[in-house]
Amino acid sequence: MERTIALAACLAMALALGWLGERGPAPRPADAAAETFSAVRAFEDIAVMAKAPHPLGTPANFAVRDHLVARMAAMDLSPRVVVARPFVARTYSGQTYVTGGRVENVIGVLPGRDPEAPALGLMAHYDSVPRSPGAADDAAGVAAALEIVRAFRARGQPERDVVLIMTDGEEAGLLGARAFFQNDPLAGRIGFVINMEARGSAGRANMFETGPDNGPVIDLFVRTSPGSPSNALAVFAYEQMPNDTDFSIARDQGIPGLNYAFVGRQFDYHSPTSTVETLSARSVQDLGDQTLAAAVAIAYSDTLPGRGPNRVYSTTFAGHMLAYPAMVGWGVIAAAALLLILAGFQARKSGAPVRWLDAGQGILAGLYILVAVAVMLRFARRASGAGFGFLEQHLLLAQAARFEAVLVLLALGVVLLGAAALAKGGMRLTTALAPLAAAVGCQIFGGWDLAGLALGLVAAVIALAAFGRPAERSGAWVGLLASGLIAAVALQVLAPTTAFLVAWPVLLASGGAALSRLGERRPLGLRLVLILLCGAGLGWLAGLAHAVFVSLDLVELLALTAWLAAFFLWPFAHPKIGGAGRVTALLVLGAGLALLGLMRADPPWSERYPRATLIYYLADQTAGEAYRIEAAPRLTDWSRQALNAPDGHIARLEAPPILSRQVWATPAPMLALPEPALELDAGGGRQVFSAAAPPAARILALEIRVTGEVADVRLNGQPAPLFATPDAWSRLWWTGDARPLEVSFTPIAQAGRLEVRYGAITERWPVGAAPLPPRPDEIMAFDTSDSLIVKGEKAFSW
């Protein structure tokens, strides 16, 4: 009972620390000191910008542009609107994909004392995705930039110019940032960039990206940060991912900087629910405090941070941050090893020597926890009823707190089961069946899942090897911590900036092991110290685990934090030989499974968390056929009503080039609708293909190919890698541009053929079509839903 109470105290402390760490600062009022950041003041701009969805090229976006111009003019920033038609081209498997459009960046400058010094760029994007007011992404970032400049004006003139870079078209492919850093005359003067983003409507502001050789930049960040949850692991992980923000464009041009975003309540990301009302004022305050601190350090310094070896850094406790050179990691590992050796010697003096066999079982128990938790959480993800994909994940995002609780309970249950099995012995069958049952569940709920099956089998094999005989607590704890040391050494060799993730918990837990002689000393004061160490370590891990949970739909990664948590839980979770810990473990696992069952039985859809629908009227102008289609992954009762199938039959249909996957479809009357203006001017030997979207259509998608080889291919006069592979389709997605786009090329052969597949989206329901039924409160139109799509094919010869 005593150890159960201590275990509960550790978990309660960890929960409290995790909650406090994620809470963020209280918003400052409008009358806060002028040189500080006030979320209430920033919300005044957010309320104006997030009145309505304002995607690229819409009247609502032009209204936001005008607001920014007026706000910058009022602060004497000499704003200018820069119009451009940028594009980006990428080639995959011989096919070229081009994304572009017309953007209007808004640029302003707060003059510094030294106009020749490299300038500080404050960057955010002011466009939103369709149907989302974009209060968080990225009206919050734009408002934060404006509030920072206002604070600068109150502080006095900075040492260097501060350039506000309010980009357009970020959501359409980072277009505004590309236009600025590739063509704007001010781009060459930018010496440091601070970018502000959001993914969701709440959460702590995390600095998640820098550039290469970031040592001096991280030193500045750690020195000035008012308490960030950021760490070197977040930066390393983001570097491995394909994700991009506007900061990516500056980084690729060698400009150093810091990229910030708050992440949380991701149901609101790119959603109609991203409103002023759902946006967390604490998150805006946190974003402002973090970025203002860094911006002040840059703008009011006569030097910029240079380049140096990447550094290890992380938050610790109470907002404190620690940073050190990567080589110091070897010292951390050595200190942990010395403490663990000391703990072994002290336990031996206490009459509880560490047996090698017990230590080996401890290593295996740690591996069991790592693999069994991974398969258990994989099962939970598949059994949740949510598919994989952005819209599919909405089912989980609408009940994120419940799902996170499920994962915590299942992971904790496996840790307790492993500790109880090692103490009792003879629990091979129970510990092997648990991951095997999870592996079978993966197959039942997710279809054939080789990875889930492999994880279950590996965990079962480890269980058969580890849990045949009982092991003493002291020896098992040493083995568990020794496995952490081995992992820390491997990370220190392979990815030294991430080794702290394992080395710090091993160091702290080894300190507790040395103080308690591997859990054998039992004075009250020492037990309280051990509880505090355990609670602090678990609280730090809770922050890391929550960051992984909200950032990635990869629940298996949380097995790593469960394994690390076992370092701290072991002296309380491992009962005496023959003790009764199995019941507690099974109760915790049962609670997790019961909550998972509740999730499946109680759908979360409500007015606050409505279900997404993507309804379109599709007209195939070549085939002379029309359809009502639903592009959401699952049909709702409302969708079935909207599709209006006279015989109840709803078919599956493909609709390239606009929609890349199968959709639900029912026939509809064909309407007389304008087509895109497509022309090929074959005069003078050089071919010029022009394409303009139909009137009122904002998005034009093209798939084009030519027969034979061509040379000197250009898009709107700029070189473009179209037609890189003969007879292969090149794909273009163009947004917010009333002017025609032009593709010109010189054919090698005298005669040839150009084939075109087109699609265009007009974001309104077509006149003459039967109207859609009214939506209930728990159903929402998402992205470009309720729009007209026209598609067709044409061919030209020369």
Side-chain angles (χ1 to χ4, degrees):
M1 178 60 69
E2 176 186 316
R3 290 188 181 276
T4 302
I5 294 173
L7 177 63
C10 289
L11 295 173
M13 180 179 172
L15 183 64
L17 289 175
W19 179 78
L20 289 172
E22 285 300 313
R23 195 159 182 253
R28 291 194 187 91
D31 59 356
E35 67 274 10
T36 64
F37 186 97
S38 163
V40 174
R41 289 192 290 249
F43 260 79
E44 295 176 7
D45 285 311
I46 295 171
V48 174
M49 291 184 283
K51 284 180 180 177
H54 46 282
L56 173 65
T58 61
N61 202 38
F62 301 149
V64 174
R65 173 205 62 195
D66 294 343
H67 172 74
L68 294 178
V69 170
R71 288 282 283 117
M72 290 187 193
M75 290 191 289
D76 299 321
L77 303 183
S78 304
R80 57 192 176 91
V81 177
V82 183
V83 179
R85 303 177 79 203
F87 65 86
V88 58
R90 295 184 176 92
T91 300
Y92 303 104
S93 302
Q95 292 188 328
T96 301
Y97 297 80
V98 174
T99 303
R102 181 184 183 276
V103 299
E104 298 190 11
N105 290 337
V106 183
I107 311 298
V109 180
L110 177 67
R113 291 190 178 93
D114 183 0
E116 301 301 318
L120 166 64
L122 296 177
M123 184 161 60
H125 69 89
Y126 72 86
D127 64 309
S128 76
V129 297
R131 290 205 173 269
S132 175
D137 181 19
D138 194 24
V142 172
L146 294 172
E147 174 68 359
I148 289 171
V149 170
R150 186 210 54 73
F152 279 178
R153 285 164 55 83
R155 287 172 178 264
Q157 189 176 26
E159 289 296 320
R160 63 189 69 250
D161 290 354
V162 177
V163 180
L164 256 68
I165 311 167
M166 304 292 96
T167 65
D168 191 14
E170 190 269 357
E171 303 291 4
L174 317 181
L175 300 181
R178 296 182 194 281
F180 177 82
F181 285 104
Q182 291 173 1
N183 301 311
D184 197 288
L186 271 179
R189 292 201 51 227
I190 303 298
F192 198 93
V193 171
I194 294 177
N195 186 58
M196 287 153 280
E197 264 286 0
R199 189 177 179 91
S201 61
R204 293 297 309 275
N206 194 349
M207 194 289 291
F208 64 97
E209 186 180 18
T210 62
D213 303 320
N214 66 17
V217 173
I218 292 301
D219 286 341
L220 178 143
F221 168 71
V222 170
R223 185 174 69 250
T224 61
S225 173
S228 169
S230 179
N231 57 64
L233 177 65
V235 171
F236 177 84
Y238 194 80
E239 288 174 351
Q240 316 309 312
M241 297 166 63
N243 304 43
D244 283 314
T245 67
D246 278 345
F247 182 83
S248 306
I249 309 302
R251 179 205 62 204
D252 291 346
Q253 296 208 2
I255 302 173
L258 298 167
N259 199 4
Y260 293 83
F262 56 82
V263 183
R265 286 211 297 257
Q266 288 197 68
F267 183 89
D268 298 323
Y269 178 60
H270 286 181
S271 170
T273 58
S274 181
T275 63
V276 175
E277 292 75 22
T278 61
L279 177 60
S280 167
R282 287 182 177 271
S283 296
V284 175
Q285 185 66 53
D286 195 22
L287 179 68
D289 286 347
Q290 298 285 341
T291 51
L292 175 61
V296 166
I298 294 294
Y300 290 85
S301 172
D302 55 2
T303 60
L304 292 176
R307 295 183 180 273
N310 290 351
R311 292 175 74 81
V312 178
Y313 73 98
S314 177
T315 183
T316 55
F317 303 103
H320 176 262
M321 299 198 74
L322 178 64
Y324 52 78
M327 286 298 295
V328 173
W330 289 113
V332 175
I333 294 172
L338 290 174
L339 285 171
L340 189 56
I341 293 170
L342 177 62
F345 277 117
Q346 290 181 326
R348 183 175 182 179
K349 288 182 180 180
S350 299
V354 174
R355 296 184 176 90
W356 287 107
L357 185 56
D358 290 347
Q361 286 180 266
I363 293 175
L364 288 176
L367 290 175
Y368 172 81
I369 289 169
L370 190 64
V371 181
V373 169
V375 70
M376 193 68 71
L377 301 190
R378 188 178 182 89
F379 157 71
R381 177 63 178 85
R382 279 154 177 74
S384 67
F388 291 88
F390 179 58
L391 284 181
E392 291 86 342
Q393 195 186 5
H394 266 203
L395 179 64
L396 293 181
L397 298 179
Q399 49 185 338
R402 286 200 293 190
F403 187 54
E404 190 171 17
V406 167
L407 300 180
V408 170
L409 288 170
L410 293 179
L412 177 61
V414 171
V415 172
L416 297 178
L417 181 64
L422 207 57
K424 183 177 178 60
M427 286 181 59
R428 288 175 169 175
L429 186 60
T430 303
T431 51
L433 285 178
L436 283 176
V440 171
C442 289
Q443 318 304 313
I444 294 173
F445 291 103
W448 172 244
D449 179 16
L450 179 60
L453 184 60
L455 287 170
L457 289 173
V458 170
V461 170
I462 296 173
L464 295 176
F467 302 125
R469 61 177 290 276
E472 293 285 352
R473 179 190 306 121
S474 56
W477 198 11
V478 166
L480 183 62
L481 294 176
S483 69
L485 279 173
I486 294 170
V489 169
L491 285 175
Q492 186 67 30
V493 172
L494 299 174
T497 59
T498 69
F500 77 95
L501 173 67
V502 179
W504 289 13
V506 172
L507 177 65
L508 190 60
S510 296
L515 283 173
S516 65
R517 296 182 181 177
L518 290 172
E520 297 303 320
R521 293 182 63 189
R522 302 172 61 81
L524 178 61
L526 185 58
R527 279 181 283 167
L528 291 176
V529 170
L530 201 57
I531 289 172
L532 290 175
L533 283 176
C534 173
L538 290 177
W540 184 75
L541 287 173
L544 291 177
H546 181 70
V548 171
F549 173 77
V550 299
S551 301
L552 300 170
D553 188 18
L554 292 171
V555 296
E556 295 87 351
L557 293 179
L558 296 172
L560 177 61
T561 55
W563 173 63
L564 296 173
F567 297 174
F568 301 107
L569 291 170
W570 205 260
F572 310 108
H574 188 297
K576 291 183 178 180
I577 298 295
R582 179 176 59 176
V583 174
T584 302
L586 294 177
L587 286 174
V588 173
L589 282 171
L593 293 174
L595 186 54
L596 180 61
L598 177 63
M599 283 180 56
R600 288 186 62 91
D602 180 30
W605 310 121
S606 65
E607 185 176 0
R608 173 62 183 89
Y609 297 106
R611 192 169 178 179
T613 55
L614 283 163
I615 292 287
Y616 300 94
Y617 200 97
L618 171 66
D620 187 331
Q621 295 175 316
T622 300
E625 299 172 347
Y627 302 89
R628 288 186 177 217
I629 63 174
E630 167 64 278
R634 294 186 182 181
L635 288 174
T636 66
D637 290 339
W638 179 88
S639 299
R640 294 178 185 277
Q641 184 182 0
L643 291 180
N644 193 26
D647 57 358
H649 177 68
I650 299 175
R652 300 291 274 168
L653 179 75
E654 292 185 357
I658 293 290
L659 302 170
S660 58
R661 65 180 181 183
Q662 282 194 333
V663 296
W664 308 95
T666 57
M670 186 62 188
L671 304 174
L673 299 166
E675 299 182 4
L678 308 178
E679 296 181 358
L680 179 67
D681 182 358
R686 184 162 179 82
Q687 312 301 308
V688 180
F689 169 71
S690 66
R698 192 176 63 88
I699 299 169
L700 177 65
L702 299 173
E703 293 181 345
I704 56 177
R705 69 179 178 184
V706 297
T707 58
E709 293 186 46
V710 297
D712 191 22
V713 182
R714 293 177 176 266
L715 175 58
N716 294 334
Q718 301 297 317
L722 299 171
F723 316 133
T725 303
D727 299 322
W729 292 99
S730 294
R731 291 169 168 81
L732 295 90
W733 187 277
W734 207 259
T735 307
D737 195 352
R739 291 173 55 192
L741 62 86
E742 291 188 349
V743 177
S744 61
F745 55 91
T746 301
I748 304 300
Q750 291 185 349
R753 179 180 172 88
L754 173 72
E755 297 176 2
V756 183
R757 299 171 182 166
Y758 67 81
I761 301 178
T762 303
E763 288 155 294
R764 64 188 182 207
W765 199 246
V767 176
L772 293 171
R775 284 180 171 87
D777 291 340
E778 67 274 12
I779 298 291
M780 65 177 170
F782 197 83
D783 197 59
T784 55
S785 182
D786 301 14
S787 295
L788 165 68
I789 298 176
V790 296
K791 67 183 292 284
E793 301 179 6
K794 285 195 174 182
F796 304 89
S797 299
W798 67 87

Short mmCIF file of all heavy atoms in Angstrom, two decimals, residues 32 103 115 131 227 239 278 308 322 361 437 481 483 530 562 628 646 649 736 749 767 795:
data_model
loop_
_atom_site.label_atom_id
_atom_site.label_comp_id
_atom_site.label_asym_id
_atom_site.label_seq_id
_atom_site.Cartn_x
_atom_site.Cartn_y
_atom_site.Cartn_z
N ALA A 32 -1.46 47.31 -20.51
CA ALA A 32 -0.16 46.84 -20.07
C ALA A 32 0.93 47.81 -20.54
O ALA A 32 0.72 48.62 -21.46
CB ALA A 32 0.12 45.44 -20.60
N VAL A 103 0.11 36.80 -55.89
CA VAL A 103 0.17 37.18 -54.48
C VAL A 103 0.38 38.68 -54.35
O VAL A 103 0.89 39.34 -55.28
CB VAL A 103 1.29 36.43 -53.74
CG1 VAL A 103 1.06 34.93 -53.77
CG2 VAL A 103 2.66 36.77 -54.31
N PRO A 115 21.28 52.11 -41.05
CA PRO A 115 20.56 51.57 -42.22
C PRO A 115 21.40 50.59 -43.03
O PRO A 115 20.86 49.90 -43.90
CB PRO A 115 20.24 52.82 -43.03
CG PRO A 115 21.27 53.82 -42.62
CD PRO A 115 21.57 53.54 -41.18
N ARG A 131 -12.73 28.73 -46.37
CA ARG A 131 -13.74 28.46 -45.34
C ARG A 131 -13.21 28.58 -43.92
O ARG A 131 -13.97 28.41 -42.96
CB ARG A 131 -14.41 27.10 -45.52
CG ARG A 131 -15.32 27.06 -46.73
CD ARG A 131 -16.40 26.01 -46.60
NE ARG A 131 -17.35 26.14 -47.72
CZ ARG A 131 -18.45 26.89 -47.69
NH1 ARG A 131 -18.75 27.56 -46.59
NH2 ARG A 131 -19.23 26.94 -48.74
N GLY A 227 10.75 31.38 -21.15
CA GLY A 227 10.27 30.07 -20.71
C GLY A 227 9.58 29.34 -21.83
O GLY A 227 8.36 29.38 -21.97
N GLU A 239 13.57 18.75 -38.90
CA GLU A 239 14.50 18.68 -40.03
C GLU A 239 14.30 17.40 -40.84
O GLU A 239 14.61 17.37 -42.03
CB GLU A 239 15.94 18.77 -39.54
CG GLU A 239 16.34 20.15 -39.03
CD GLU A 239 17.73 20.16 -38.42
OE1 GLU A 239 18.29 19.05 -38.24
OE2 GLU A 239 18.25 21.24 -38.14
N THR A 278 -12.59 30.80 -30.49
CA THR A 278 -11.92 29.56 -30.10
C THR A 278 -10.41 29.74 -29.91
O THR A 278 -9.75 28.84 -29.38
CB THR A 278 -12.14 28.46 -31.16
OG1 THR A 278 -11.60 28.89 -32.41
CG2 THR A 278 -13.62 28.17 -31.32
N GLY A 308 27.93 28.37 -35.65
CA GLY A 308 28.75 27.51 -34.81
C GLY A 308 28.11 26.15 -34.69
O GLY A 308 26.98 25.94 -35.12
N LEU A 322 18.31 24.99 -20.45
CA LEU A 322 19.70 24.60 -20.33
C LEU A 322 20.24 24.29 -21.72
O LEU A 322 19.57 23.63 -22.52
CB LEU A 322 19.81 23.35 -19.44
CG LEU A 322 21.21 22.76 -19.24
CD1 LEU A 322 22.11 23.77 -18.52
CD2 LEU A 322 21.12 21.45 -18.45
N GLN A 361 17.51 -9.43 -16.69
CA GLN A 361 16.06 -9.42 -16.79
C GLN A 361 15.51 -7.99 -16.82
O GLN A 361 14.50 -7.71 -17.47
CB GLN A 361 15.45 -10.20 -15.63
CG GLN A 361 15.60 -11.71 -15.75
CD GLN A 361 14.97 -12.42 -14.58
OE1 GLN A 361 15.65 -12.72 -13.59
NE2 GLN A 361 13.68 -12.68 -14.67
N ALA A 437 -2.57 -10.06 -28.05
CA ALA A 437 -3.97 -9.65 -28.21
C ALA A 437 -4.05 -8.29 -28.90
O ALA A 437 -4.92 -8.07 -29.76
CB ALA A 437 -4.65 -9.61 -26.85
N LEU A 481 18.19 0.84 -16.09
CA LEU A 481 18.96 2.07 -16.28
C LEU A 481 20.17 1.82 -17.18
O LEU A 481 20.57 2.72 -17.95
CB LEU A 481 19.40 2.62 -14.93
CG LEU A 481 18.26 3.13 -14.03
CD1 LEU A 481 18.80 3.57 -12.68
CD2 LEU A 481 17.50 4.26 -14.71
N SER A 483 20.23 -0.17 -19.70
CA SER A 483 19.74 -0.13 -21.08
C SER A 483 19.58 1.32 -21.54
O SER A 483 19.81 1.64 -22.72
CB SER A 483 18.40 -0.87 -21.19
OG SER A 483 17.36 -0.17 -20.52
N LEU A 530 12.84 10.84 -3.15
CA LEU A 530 12.69 9.97 -4.31
C LEU A 530 11.38 10.25 -5.05
O LEU A 530 11.32 10.24 -6.28
CB LEU A 530 12.74 8.50 -3.85
CG LEU A 530 13.10 7.47 -4.93
CD1 LEU A 530 14.44 7.78 -5.56
CD2 LEU A 530 13.12 6.06 -4.31
N ALA A 562 7.26 6.11 -22.52
CA ALA A 562 6.85 5.13 -21.51
C ALA A 562 8.06 4.37 -20.97
O ALA A 562 8.17 4.12 -19.76
CB ALA A 562 5.85 4.16 -22.12
N ARG A 628 -23.19 15.13 -58.49
CA ARG A 628 -22.97 15.66 -57.15
C ARG A 628 -22.00 14.71 -56.47
O ARG A 628 -22.20 13.48 -56.50
CB ARG A 628 -24.28 15.72 -56.36
CG ARG A 628 -25.24 16.81 -56.83
CD ARG A 628 -26.43 16.89 -55.90
NE ARG A 628 -27.32 17.98 -56.28
CZ ARG A 628 -27.98 18.75 -55.42
NH1 ARG A 628 -27.87 18.51 -54.13
NH2 ARG A 628 -28.76 19.72 -55.85
N PRO A 646 -31.65 9.34 -56.49
CA PRO A 646 -33.07 8.97 -56.59
C PRO A 646 -33.35 7.52 -56.23
O PRO A 646 -34.40 7.19 -55.70
CB PRO A 646 -33.39 9.25 -58.07
CG PRO A 646 -32.07 9.23 -58.77
CD PRO A 646 -31.08 9.73 -57.77
N HIS A 649 -28.64 4.73 -54.71
CA HIS A 649 -27.32 4.19 -55.08
C HIS A 649 -26.31 5.33 -55.18
O HIS A 649 -26.53 6.32 -55.88
CB HIS A 649 -27.40 3.45 -56.41
CG HIS A 649 -26.06 2.94 -56.87
ND1 HIS A 649 -25.40 1.92 -56.23
CD2 HIS A 649 -25.27 3.33 -57.91
CE1 HIS A 649 -24.25 1.69 -56.84
NE2 HIS A 649 -24.15 2.53 -57.86
N GLY A 736 -5.86 32.18 -57.66
CA GLY A 736 -6.08 33.59 -57.40
C GLY A 736 -5.56 34.53 -58.46
O GLY A 736 -5.17 35.66 -58.15
N ALA A 749 10.72 18.61 -82.89
CA ALA A 749 10.13 18.14 -84.15
C ALA A 749 9.23 19.23 -84.75
O ALA A 749 8.71 20.09 -84.04
CB ALA A 749 9.32 16.87 -83.91
N VAL A 767 -25.64 28.19 -60.25
CA VAL A 767 -27.00 28.64 -60.52
C VAL A 767 -27.68 27.61 -61.43
O VAL A 767 -27.09 27.13 -62.39
CB VAL A 767 -26.98 30.03 -61.20
CG1 VAL A 767 -28.40 30.47 -61.57
CG2 VAL A 767 -26.32 31.05 -60.30
N ALA A 795 -7.11 19.00 -76.94
CA ALA A 795 -5.84 18.67 -77.59
C ALA A 795 -5.58 19.69 -78.69
O ALA A 795 -6.51 20.20 -79.33
CB ALA A 795 -5.88 17.27 -78.16
#
